[in-house]
Amino acid sequence: MKKFAFGMLAAVAMTGSAVAADMAPRYTKAPPPAPIVVYNWTGCYIGGNIGGGWAKQDQFRIDQFGIGPAPANYGGETGSAFIGGGQVGCDYQFAGNWVVGIQVQGDWGSIKGSHALPAFPTFTMFDKTDFIGTVTGRIGYLFAPQLLGYVKGGGAWTRSSDFLQLPGGGLSEASGNWNASGWTVGGGLEWMFAPGWSVFGEYNYMDFGSRTVNFIAAPGLVPTGEHVSIKQTASTALVGVNYKFNWGGPVVAKY
């Protein structure tokens, strides 16, 4: 009996060891968690944009060439059009969630408008703005590692042209292309959807103040021209994409 009992105990012990050996692989070390991606906003970028543009002109005649003072209200209107362009800039991320930067942006289109002159209702003024450019500084806050909210402000430039049509058609006088400078403010949101790539949406307002523009009359007309004071403002609503050349090194992966 004793031999039988010892034999049984040995068999049980061997069986337990075999079972333990079979179970061992089930308790291997768990794999490391997926890396946490940290997006770096420091760097320079280039990109493109499209959207809508609005330009408003208010006009007042100051005097006529060779005749002298003859003030007249020439009225005004707001034109709108599709515009597109591009931007380049540099950003620097600091203090965790803050981003500062500088940007140069330019947009082209054909923002046209027309109106009858209040002082001479049978005459029609046509105007066109075909370029809006800005140089701005911006500051933003990261609401999430990939989402930047920002405001911007700085200088603005525009190019426009105007011409006055006679009653029934025909050219009365024209300004040719003229330029104006002013200031701009705006703001928007930018989302980094992949390392180095981001999309944004923003609104900008520009004020170019008042500028005295020379209108030259068509050949044979008297007077030969006049000075018109034009006050101009503009605004843009844009969406776009940027590619950033990262200064701060590659995307960091933390475990």
Side-chain angles (χ1 to χ4, degrees), residues 33-38 252-255:
I36 299 174
V37 178
V38 178
V252 178
K254 293 185 177 180
Y255 293 92

Side-chain angles (χ1 to χ4, degrees), residues 52-97:
W54 295 263
K56 184 178 188 299
Q57 287 192 8
D58 293 299
Q59 304 167 343
F60 189 84
R61 186 175 75 186
I62 300 172
D63 59 31
Q64 296 174 297
F65 295 173
I67 295 178
N73 181 13
Y74 275 11
E77 87 293 317
T78 300
S80 62
F82 174 85
I83 61 174
Q87 62 282 332
V88 295
C90 293
D91 288 327
Y92 176 70
Q93 184 176 346
F94 69 102
N97 291 340

